Every structure is written in C-alpha cells, then in structure tokens.
Amino acid sequence: MMAQYLDLKRQAGSDLLFYRMGDFFELFFEDAKKAAAVLDIALTARGEHHGEPIPMCGVPAHSMDAYLARLIKAGHRVAIADQIETPEQARARAGSKALVGRAIVRFVTAGTLTEDTLLDSRRANILAAIGEAGNALAVAAADISTGRLEVVTLDGSAIEAELARIGASEVIARPGLAERVPAALPFESRGFDSSRAEADICRLFGVATLDSFGTFSRAELSALGGLVAYLDHVGRGRMPFLAAPVRAGSSDHLAIDPATRESLEIVQTMTGQRAGSLLGTIDRTVTGAGARMLAADLSAPLMDQARVEARLALVQWLHDDGPLREDARARLRALPEIGRALGRIAIGRGSPRDLGQLRDGLEAGHALREKLGRRDDVPALLAELLPALDGHGALVDELKRALVPAPPTEAGNGGYIADGYDAALDELRTLASDGRRAIAALEARYREQTGIAALKIRHNGVLGYHVEVPGRHADQLMAQDSGFTHRQTLAGVVRFNSVDLHEQAGRVTQAGAHALAAEAAHFEALVGMVMARREPIAHAADALARIDVASALAERATEGGWCRPQFESHACLDIKGARHPVVEAALTKAGEPFVANDCALEPGDRLWLVTGPNMGGKSTFLRQNALVVILAQAGSFVPAQSARLGLVDRLFSRVGASDNLARGRSTFMVEMIETAAILAQATERSFVILDEVGRGTSTYDGLALAWAVVEAIHDVNQCRCLFATHYHELTRLAERLDALSLHHVRAREWQGDLVLLHEVAEGPADRSYGLAVARLAGLPPPVIARANAVLGKLEAGRAQTGGIAAGLDDLPLFAATIAAEPAPAADPLRERLDTIDADALSPREALDLLYELKQIGSGK
C-alpha cells in the first residue's frame, strides 16, 4: 500500500494528497502535519518508513468538502486519490490479496471549485491564466462554476490592474513569467505555446476555426491554451463547461489600479471583508448570480456610453414602476441557481437536484419573461435579454415528466425518477416493493412459528437481509431442524439466515439493482439533453442575473433617493448634493445625518485644492466623488441630487497609505510610487483624487513635492483632480494656474471647542485647527499648552521671514521648466532592440543579430 501511496504522491507533487482508505481519506508524512495543523485534527502515527513512524491523519469521506474548504482557504491545493475499482474487482483481477486500484481523480484548487459547499454564492470564483508572446501579455479568465470565459490583451504595466479587476482566486503562468507577476503560480505546460493552443481550443469547442469567436492575438491564444491545459490537468481529462471566449479590450472598461481599488474599498474593505465596502453597502440583489454580476460591474465600469445608457434605462424603468419591480424581485428571489447547477453537471459532479434546479429555474424564468414582456415600453436592454428565457420548453417538460418534485442530492440511492416516466422502472419498483412486503410477512410468520416476539428481519451492507434474535433465544434457532442457518454472533444478539428469506431477499435485491441501473441510465440521458442546450441555458442564467442587478439598483436608488447620472461629451464632473454611500449608511444606522456636498469640475476649473482640518471630511469628499464615477459608469443611479459627467478613462486614488514591509517599502515610498503612477498614466479624461501628498517626509521636501505634483497635474496631465492638503502655502498656486480653484471644509471654534461642519466651501481655509483636533482627540492639556506656545513662536517667525514659502512666487512656470530640459541623448542600441521581433527570428538570423548588436554596443 505504501508503494502505491508514494507513487501517487509523486504525481501530486507539492499538493496535499487525500488517499482513500475505506470510509476515510488519509494523509501521511508532511501532508498529515500540514493538514492536522490547519484542520485542528489529531495527528497520529502508523507503521514505519525508513525506521521512523509515519505521521498520519484522516477525514471522513462523507464530510470531505468541509475539510477541503478550510484547506483551500488556508492556501493549500489538494489531490484526491480515490478507489477506481471495488474490492471484488481487485480480487478478480489479481487474486485474494490484491490491493484495490487507486488514482488521482481530481486536483482541488482555489480557482477550480464547483461545489456549493466550497463556494460563496455571492462571489465569482475566477481562474486566470497569463499568456505571453513577444512583448505582449494577455489574461484569460474563467469562472468554471458558470462557464464564463473572457480574454484580454494588455501591456506589462497593466497586468496588476487587470488582475485586480478580475479578482481571481487563482492565477497561473509559465514558470518564468510567474516569477514576474505577484501571486501567480507556476504551471509548466505546452498549452501556453500559442502555436498549438489554437488547435487545442478548436478541439475543446468542436470547431474547425476560431474565426466565429473573433481574431485572437498570439498572446491571447497562449493565455487561453494555458488555461485549457490547466483545467484538463486538474480535472484529469474531464473538462468543465466553458462558453465561447469573449475577447475584451483593456480600453472597454474604466481603468482602476490595485492601489485605487484598495483605497476606495469597491468590492471589499482593506481588511478583506465584503461588509463595509461599496458593494456590501449597495447590494440589494436577491440571487447569487446577480450578486456576482454586480460585483463584476463595479470592478469594471464601462467606457461605452451607449452600453451605460442601456443599463441606466433598464434601472430607470424598474425604478419608476414599484409594483412591477417588487413582483420581479419576488420571482427572482424564488429562483434556484441554474448557472452553477449547469457547471456542476458539465464537469460530471451534477446531481438529480441540479437537474431539478434547472427545471424549476428555466420554468420560472419563462414565467418572468411573460410577465415583463407584456409591457409596451420595454427598454432596449430588456428586449435583448428576454429572448434568452425562451426556447427551453421541451427540456423543461422532459425534466418535469422525468423527475420527482424534490430530487435528492445523491444519485446513488435512486428515488429521483418520477413514477409513470418509465413503465419498466415502475415494474421493477413494484417487484422490490412487493418483495419487501413479502419479507415483512415472513417476519410475522417466523415470530409465530418460533414464538419469539423479539425476532426481527434486518438488513445491512455486509450480510444483506437476515434474521436477528436476542442471545437468550439463539439456542432455539441453532437446532438442526429449525430451518435457520447461523451467520453471526454479537453482544446481545445472534443473526441467522433461512432459505425462504434468502430467495425473497434475492428477488428484492435484484429488482432494486435493476431499478438503480435504470434510473442511472435515465440520469445520463437527461444530462445529455441538458448539455445539448448548455449555451442557451448559460445565456438564460446571465439574463436573469442582469435583470436582478437592474432591479436591485432600482431598489437601492429608491431607498436612498439617488438620481440618474447624465453623461456629457466633454470632461466634466458636476455633482450636486453628493453623498458617500458607505459613510451615509453608517451614519444613518447611528441616527446621524450626512452632510452632502457639491463638486463642479469643468475644463476651465478642473483642479480643486481642498484645505481644512483633519476629521473635517476632506477624504470623504474626495472618495465620494470617485465612487459616483464608478457607480455611474457601472450603470447605476448615484447618491446625489443631480450628476453630470464626461466618461472617465482612468481613475486614480492616493488617499491614505500604509507601510508595505513585505516589499521593503515605507509609507512615504508607497505614496511616491502611487503618485508616480498617476503622473505617468493619467490623461485629460482621467479623474484623480490626491490626499496629503508629501506628508511622509520633512516639511520642506513635502511642500516641494506637493507643489510640483499640483503643477504637473495642471500643466501636463490636465485631468480632473481633487487635491487635499494641509500645506496652505499651496494656495498661492491659484494665482499662477488658471484651471485651479481653492476650496475648504468648514470648521469653527466655539467656546474653546472645535465644531466640524463637514461642508465644502469656496476659498482657502483660514487655518488648520491642528491643535483643536488634538484637543478633541484627548491630548493632555499641558501638551496642548506647550504646542500652543511653540506655534506662536513659529508663526511670529513666519511673519518676519515669509515662512517656508518665501521666494516661491519667483519660480518659473512648470511648463517652462519642462521646455528647458535637454532632449535625452539618442541610444542606438535601444532603438535597434525596439525593432526586433524575437519570435520571428530563425536561429541563423538570431546569431547574425547578436553580432550586429555587439558592434552597435562597441560604438563601431
């Protein structure tokens, strides 16, 4: 047995190996130590290996999923080694002492889960594969629980942003590439070879060419090929259902980098929780599929105004008709999850209950389609969605005829095919039922014949049907002429068989076995019917999810008095009475009001410099406007009285920062890296929010950096920007920069106490109120008094010398300094390298090129 285990362990590699032994899955050696620590189960020992006890632990096979979930959450991958034959088959193959054959039937990884018990119903489970060809990168992403598959090409600098948008549970790449991408797992496979990937993908989808799906780049083919190869590896040849790949462009969505996603807490908080995020606050969906689609929408707001307006029109339609919305939501709430049921069926892990969910879900979907389709004013998007809910009538009728109303989760015990569907099956069930009644009559006869009132006929998996009597009556049945044959003696009871019982039990067992086989055949036939319509069923699931999202957003807009945003052709952001949805929800729960504020960024006034005290609401004001942009371009109403905006192509937030000790970066270093990314990538159509740039270093350095960053954003990037700062010296920039205006959050001191009004007003703040905030925070009075004295001296010195901003008015304009910079020297070696297509070179051409580059590098 240990030789068999070690062979399977070699195949599993670094993954934990679940080795089936009877009713348990056992783990040995280091796997056992790791699993015992995570699962908090007993670590024992069994036998010896090289003179050392073998550590082991185990989990019951019937409750394996719960243990798998904990191991996957802890970051482990698990290989499942199950029995592939029965003990009887093993003995027939190799004699009485034959070892039952085992093989790895599946690898369980974070991105390849399909079981409901292992998945969060309200969160997508994405597997991503990164492909590379030449200098191009691509990401293929699939949710195998529903079959959704998309691929996108991007440049190297955008890879982290794209992975953050996808929110993958697992990312794979070739070993060399995986080293360059944080969190990517190396997977060595020829599937990443773009030259063979196309053939593999065609084979998977049963097509001769991919032309009907679109034109894919070599990097995209590499990513798709690697993903397909990985799924084939973990499924051991059993592929999940994948819809036709959708080719997306990185420019199709509002670009949001990982730092901005974390700062704005779009789908999860900085601590990884859904509650407290934008998604957790606005989510009113009533289905798991709808919740997952809403999360995807918020993660990837659209750049196509027509698609945004189509979503908004559907939300408006449901918003304006409350009774219709409530009826639709009630119907959706009763729907089973058909997308994931289809995914489980496709990968061979489906159950009769999954077929029942498809039956009930498709039937209810058609009823919803009839209800919504009766209206004359159906929005264009809904008109596109409703046909996907038609055309399933024949399948639904067959499933209704074939299945009992509430099918079980396990197919092995039968009982899920309805009476009347198959006359032969009904006859077998009748035979089995009659046989069981005959056995009951036989029990009564044996009691009367023997006079033993406690005699019972029982059944178990080892002895089958048998007679059981208390031990004190055993001698009577042991007599030679009793008609009974002794089978087993236990504490307190003795078990027997008889000729009549054996014959009757044989008839029952045979009829039952034939009935189970008949049900299994019907199950396979029904699965085949479902798989023949897998694409239309997947489209129906998506349509229902989109209707759920629209009705949920309409519900949230009604609750909060939100408005429909209006889009303009020019770069503006004019929001009246904007509110931060998460902060407002928290304040409402505490019984406190939220102070709404306006924001009016236009081409001639595109950069607001916001000053004011800490705790005054600057960061909230910055973030709420960024969230309005995300909601609007995701197709949602927004928390404001009115909103006008031009589409934003990139959103950047540098609000708050923390140390990244794991990567050797201080708070200030993180701040500068994020600011550098903004200055390098922001365009005229971008929206940037910056808070306290330069605060992590000395006053002079910080002010100098903040000053230069403001000038760069104004003169070079020319994007819409909200810039919050405590450097009041920056207000002098309003005299030099035409599109910059000054604003502040209002605060007042009343009888020695600071009153924060949380209102944004025009003009600079009169002072920072730092000492007042310190007093509010509870600093000891002697410390406050000493700080007051020091502040008086500093302010007196500033009045005499002009302070740290003295001389700044004499600086030349930022644009002039850029123009005065010398052009970078030509680099012929770099220029030649940029012209090379390494993938297109033959070995001879590569050798010639190497000599050429050597000559250029030596200056010849």
Side-chain angles (χ1 to χ4, degrees):
M1 186 207 79
M2 190 51 61
Q4 183 189 63
Y5 169 84
L6 292 173
D7 180 57
L8 292 170
K9 179 58 185 171
R10 278 190 291 272
Q11 298 176 41
S14 60
D15 299 351
L16 302 182
L17 179 64
F18 270 33
Y19 182 82
R20 183 70 178 260
M21 295 181 66
D23 293 333
F24 281 77
F25 279 102
E26 305 288 357
L27 298 97
F28 300 97
F29 301 105
E30 290 301 313
D31 286 0
K33 295 178 182 178
K34 293 175 184 177
V38 172
L39 302 176
D40 193 24
I41 57 177
L43 181 67
T44 60
R46 169 179 177 158
E48 290 188 351
H49 185 68
H50 297 315
E52 296 289 333
I54 301 173
M56 69 171 289
C57 65
V59 300
H62 68 84
S63 58
M64 172 182 69
D65 285 355
Y67 295 100
L68 282 176
R70 292 167 63 183
L71 289 170
I72 297 300
K73 188 174 182 180
H76 293 288
R77 296 153 47 95
V78 181
I80 307 295
D82 210 341
Q83 296 175 181
I84 55 174
E85 60 182 355
T86 65
E88 291 77 16
Q89 290 171 329
R91 286 192 290 270
R93 171 178 54 82
S96 60
K97 295 185 179 181
L99 183 65
V100 174
R102 294 175 178 86
I104 295 177
V105 297
R106 178 191 173 198
F107 288 87
V108 183
T109 72
T112 59
L113 305 175
T114 56
E115 293 85 351
D116 275 345
T117 52
L118 302 181
L119 293 172
D120 181 346
S121 65
R122 304 185 74 79
R123 181 176 178 180
N125 194 53
I126 305 295
L127 169 68
I130 307 172
E132 184 178 34
N135 296 322
L137 292 175
V139 176
D143 183 346
I144 70 165
S145 67
T146 61
R148 183 169 63 89
L149 173 62
E150 69 173 36
V151 62
V152 58
T153 295
L154 30 86
D155 59 60
S157 62
I159 186 68
E160 289 192 28
E162 183 63 19
L163 292 177
R165 176 187 75 81
I166 293 170
S169 301
E170 185 177 7
V171 180
I172 61 166
R174 271 179 169 160
L177 179 57
E179 295 174 3
R180 311 197 311 262
V181 180
L185 299 172
F187 175 60
E188 184 62 67
S189 171
R190 292 185 297 169
F192 282 107
D193 184 347
S194 60
S195 61
R196 62 170 289 167
E198 184 170 3
D200 291 343
I201 300 164
C202 286
R203 193 178 308 112
L204 172 66
F205 290 103
V207 296
T209 173
L210 295 179
D211 291 348
S212 60
F213 300 149
T215 303
F216 297 96
S217 68
R218 291 183 60 216
E220 289 171 335
L221 289 173
S222 172
L224 287 168
L227 186 140
V228 168
Y230 185 73
L231 290 175
D232 183 65
H233 165 72
V234 299
R236 309 302 279 177
R238 185 183 286 274
M239 288 294 294
F241 162 62
L242 292 177
V246 176
R247 190 172 184 271
S250 57
S251 60
D252 293 347
H253 303 106
L254 166 60
I256 310 174
D257 63 21
T260 300
R261 291 180 187 277
E262 182 180 18
S263 169
L264 296 179
E265 300 183 309
I266 300 171
V267 297
Q268 64 181 25
T269 64
M270 293 186 184
T271 59
Q273 302 300 310
R274 193 176 192 270
S277 67
L278 174 65
L279 173 63
T281 301
I282 74 165
D283 186 6
R284 298 296 183 272
T285 56
V286 293
T287 69
R292 298 193 298 271
M293 182 171 282
L294 176 60
D297 288 351
L298 293 178
S299 295
L302 300 173
M303 279 297 296
D304 185 334
Q305 185 172 334
R307 292 178 63 195
V308 175
E309 294 287 5
R311 288 184 185 178
L312 288 171
L314 180 53
V315 175
Q316 179 88 59
W317 189 69
L318 291 165
H319 173 272
D320 294 346
D321 193 333
L324 178 67
R325 182 178 71 252
E326 285 304 313
D327 180 72
R329 285 170 59 78
R331 292 170 182 266
L332 289 165
R333 190 177 288 110
L335 280 175
E337 170 73 87
I338 64 175
R340 285 187 166 173
L342 176 63
R344 288 189 293 274
I345 289 171
I347 206 168
R349 299 184 200 126
S351 69
R353 178 170 294 179
D354 290 322
L355 291 175
Q357 287 183 332
L358 291 179
R359 173 198 63 193
D360 300 340
L362 293 173
E363 184 177 33
H366 180 71
L368 178 62
R369 183 254 183 279
E370 292 295 311
K371 175 73 174 179
L372 297 177
R374 293 194 194 109
R375 298 283 295 267
D376 296 329
D377 57 342
V378 172
L381 178 56
L382 185 59
E384 294 176 13
L385 296 173
L386 291 180
L389 304 180
D390 286 331
H392 308 289
L395 175 61
V396 170
D397 288 345
E398 187 68 16
L399 292 174
K400 287 173 69 174
R401 285 197 320 111
L403 298 172
V404 298
T409 56
E410 295 293 333
N413 297 325
Y416 50 86
I417 297 297
D419 290 337
Y421 183 69
D422 178 353
L425 173 60
D426 292 344
E427 185 176 346
L428 289 170
R429 286 175 171 170
T430 300
L431 288 174
S433 178
D434 290 347
R436 282 189 288 270
R437 281 193 291 270
I439 288 175
L442 196 60
E443 181 183 73
R445 195 182 95 198
Y446 284 163
R447 285 179 185 171
E448 182 180 352
Q449 175 183 325
T450 61
I452 303 173
L455 181 149
K456 290 183 174 60
I457 294 180
R458 298 188 181 278
H459 181 274
N460 63 33
V462 177
L463 298 181
Y465 285 98
H466 56 273
V467 175
E468 183 178 283
V469 297
R472 63 181 180 276
H473 297 296
D475 289 345
Q476 182 179 344
L477 273 65
M478 288 282 193
Q480 275 191 340
D481 57 352
S482 67
F484 295 94
T485 305
H486 176 256
R487 294 297 306 277
Q488 189 177 41
T489 300
L490 300 175
V493 297
V494 182
R495 292 169 174 171
F496 299 85
N497 201 352
S498 71
V499 173
D500 291 344
L501 177 60
H502 179 73
E503 292 176 353
Q504 197 64 52
R507 286 192 286 270
V508 170
T509 302
Q510 187 177 36
H514 289 169
L516 286 177
E519 289 203 65
H522 287 310
F523 180 78
E524 290 302 319
L526 294 172
V527 166
M529 294 179 64
V530 167
M531 293 306 297
R533 291 194 54 79
R534 56 187 180 273
E535 300 263 355
I537 293 171
H539 292 156
D542 288 343
L544 291 169
R546 176 56 63 195
I547 295 170
D548 185 23
V549 169
S551 64
L553 292 174
E555 184 76 12
R556 185 66 184 89
T558 302
E559 289 177 10
W562 291 13
C563 73
R564 178 174 177 171
Q566 304 297 320
F567 287 90
E568 305 288 347
S569 59
H570 64 284
C572 65
L573 188 64
D574 184 6
I575 308 170
K576 306 296 183 188
R579 311 187 298 278
H580 192 299
V582 180
V583 176
E584 182 183 30
L587 290 174
T588 300
K589 188 177 292 186
E592 300 177 22
F594 183 92
V595 179
N597 281 294
D598 299 345
C599 177
L601 300 178
E602 297 286 349
D605 184 16
R606 62 177 181 270
L607 200 164
W608 278 21
L609 196 67
V610 185
T611 54
N614 287 313
M615 300 291 294
K618 297 192 301 297
S619 295
T620 298
F621 175 69
L622 268 57
R623 284 188 171 102
Q624 74 190 28
N625 288 291
L627 295 182
V628 164
V629 169
I630 290 172
L631 287 168
Q633 292 187 212
S636 168
F637 281 28
V638 299
Q641 295 173 4
S642 67
R644 290 189 314 111
L645 67 155
L647 285 172
V648 174
D649 66 348
R650 292 175 177 270
L651 178 63
F652 296 97
S653 169
R654 212 231 60 76
V655 180
S658 58
D659 292 340
N660 192 333
L661 299 180
R663 300 182 70 174
R665 295 171 178 174
S666 67
T667 301
F668 182 66
M669 185 63 173
V670 172
E671 176 186 325
M672 289 297 99
I673 290 172
E674 294 174 2
T675 304
I678 293 170
L679 296 179
Q681 300 175 40
T683 72
E684 292 182 6
R685 299 197 66 83
S686 301
F687 179 46
V688 175
I689 58 174
L690 291 162
D691 190 15
E692 308 294 358
V693 170
R695 67 179 172 180
T697 186
S698 72
T699 302
Y700 282 96
D701 286 355
L703 174 58
L705 287 166
W707 185 288
V709 169
V710 171
E711 288 186 320
I713 288 175
H714 182 278
D715 292 347
V716 179
N717 302 101
Q718 299 184 12
C719 57
R720 288 159 284 182
C721 177
L722 299 176
F723 192 107
T725 185
H726 281 295
Y727 292 126
H728 289 269
E729 294 79 7
L730 294 179
T731 58
R732 298 188 183 193
L733 286 167
E735 303 169 5
R736 302 159 60 90
L737 306 179
D738 295 338
L740 181 147
S741 60
L742 303 178
H743 301 264
H744 69 280
V745 290
R746 296 181 60 206
R748 292 289 182 269
E749 283 191 277
W750 174 255
Q751 297 180 348
D753 292 328
L754 178 66
V755 180
L756 301 170
L757 302 177
H758 303 294
E759 296 175 1
V760 177
E762 292 186 0
D766 53 355
R767 54 198 177 94
S768 290
Y769 297 96
L771 299 189
V773 173
R775 185 183 300 112
L776 194 65
L779 259 67
V783 175
I784 299 295
R786 180 59 175 172
N788 225 341
V790 173
L791 178 62
K793 290 289 186 182
L794 292 173
E795 289 180 337
R798 180 175 62 186
Q800 294 176 3
T801 65
I804 64 173
L808 289 179
D809 293 333
D810 299 331
L811 278 173
L813 294 176
F814 183 78
T817 65
I818 294 177
E821 288 183 2
D827 185 345
L829 183 59
R830 184 177 296 278
E831 291 173 359
R832 182 66 181 96
L833 286 170
D834 288 341
T835 65
I836 297 171
D837 182 1
D839 291 317
L841 294 174
S842 68
R844 179 65 188 179
E845 289 170 336
L847 183 61
D848 292 342
L849 179 62
L850 187 60
Y851 284 115
E852 180 187 343
L853 294 175
K854 187 175 180 181
Q855 286 183 330
I856 295 174
S858 63
K860 295 180 181 178

